[in-house]
Amino acid sequence: MTEPPAVASAAPSLSSEFAELASGERIATAAAALEHNGIRSLLAATGADARSLVSSLLPDGAEVLQQHVPDTRSHRHR
């Protein structure tokens, strides 16, 4: 499996603030704030590391459904 690109492809409706990955410093600050409020944060360096981490937290035999949900934000509803 290949890793996603380092820079996400931004949809036109998304703010440019979210077009690039957060810096390590910003991630560490957010993780520290979560921990300060009693929320355990787990960080992974890559997508593959994150998948392994999540798998290690699941009970044996558990499955995770990966369902594609279409992005309907760009469509106008009548």
Side-chain angles (χ1 to χ4, degrees):
M1 182 169 247
T2 60
E3 287 298 312
V7 176
S9 106
S13 62
L14 295 179
S15 165
S16 61
E17 177 184 3
F18 302 107
E20 295 184 25
L21 296 176
S23 69
E25 180 181 350
R26 189 164 187 181
I27 292 169
T29 299
L34 289 168
E35 298 277 345
H36 179 76
N37 287 292
I39 301 170
R40 181 177 171 212
S41 61
L42 303 172
L43 303 177
T46 67
D49 289 346
R51 284 185 288 279
S52 294
L53 179 59
V54 169
S55 293
S56 75
L57 299 172
L58 298 173
D60 289 338
E63 296 181 11
V64 176
L65 174 65
Q66 294 181 354
Q67 182 176 358
H68 173 72
V69 177
D71 183 358
T72 58
R73 292 174 292 180
S74 62
H75 302 288
R76 292 183 181 221
H77 297 283
R78 295 180 186 188

